[in-house]
Amino acid sequence: ASADISLMEVLEREINQPLISPLDDAVAHSVLGKRNGEFYFMHDKLQEAAYCKMKPEERCLHHNRYGLALGFVAARERDDRLLLTGVAQINHGGPKAIIDEEQAVVVANLNLDAG
């Protein structure tokens, strides 16, 4: 898997949390590589280890949070690519990541908009 740097910059601005700097640190430690505008894991086992290091419920919440942030940017900027990426992240987080009925309605509407 890889992460588009421009997408990460959008996400970083939206959630107001540093993302690029820690990824650059991971590049410096040879956990990630960086080329053609993307961050990528240097080996599948490194990706598995990084992903497994988080508790499943934390992973779900991160997917949901990042997906919602991208969905809001997509709606503001009318960007279908961001919408599809955001909805994919939300759905990867699953229904357990939905915190209340209001958020459930937002998620449903984003899914409808994504088709």
Side-chain angles (χ1 to χ4, degrees), residues 15-37:
I15 66 171
N16 197 28
Q17 179 180 341
L19 298 173
I20 301 297
S21 178
L23 294 172
D24 281 333
D25 287 346
V27 170
H29 289 89
S30 301
V31 174
L32 296 178
K34 187 177 181 181
R35 85 171 160 241
N36 299 328

Side-chain angles (χ1 to χ4, degrees), residues 5-104:
I5 294 171
S6 63
L7 182 68
M8 297 304 292
E9 290 168 342
V10 167
L11 185 55
E12 182 176 68
R13 284 190 302 274
E14 188 66 17
I15 66 171
N16 197 28
Q17 179 180 341
L19 298 173
I20 301 297
S21 178
L23 294 172
D24 281 333
D25 287 346
V27 170
H29 289 89
S30 301
V31 174
L32 296 178
K34 187 177 181 181
R35 85 171 160 241
N36 299 328
E38 292 185 332
F39 289 105
Y40 62 93
F41 280 95
M42 298 296 286
H43 193 280
D44 292 346
K45 293 295 182 187
L46 291 172
Q47 180 179 355
E48 287 176 30
Y51 204 69
C52 289
K53 196 170 184 181
M54 282 194 287
K55 295 177 183 173
E57 55 273 7
E58 288 176 5
R59 286 193 303 260
C60 290
L61 292 174
H62 283 295
H63 284 296
N64 189 53
R65 178 177 181 219
Y66 298 157
L68 284 169
L70 292 174
F72 294 142
V73 172
R76 243 190 353 257
E77 297 181 8
R78 301 194 190 290
D79 185 325
D80 289 340
R81 179 184 72 101
L82 283 180
L83 176 63
L84 294 173
T85 302
V87 167
Q89 286 298 306
I90 292 167
N91 293 341
H92 197 66
K96 289 183 180 179
I98 305 297
I99 59 171
D100 58 27
E101 195 170 310
E102 182 180 335
Q103 190 179 76

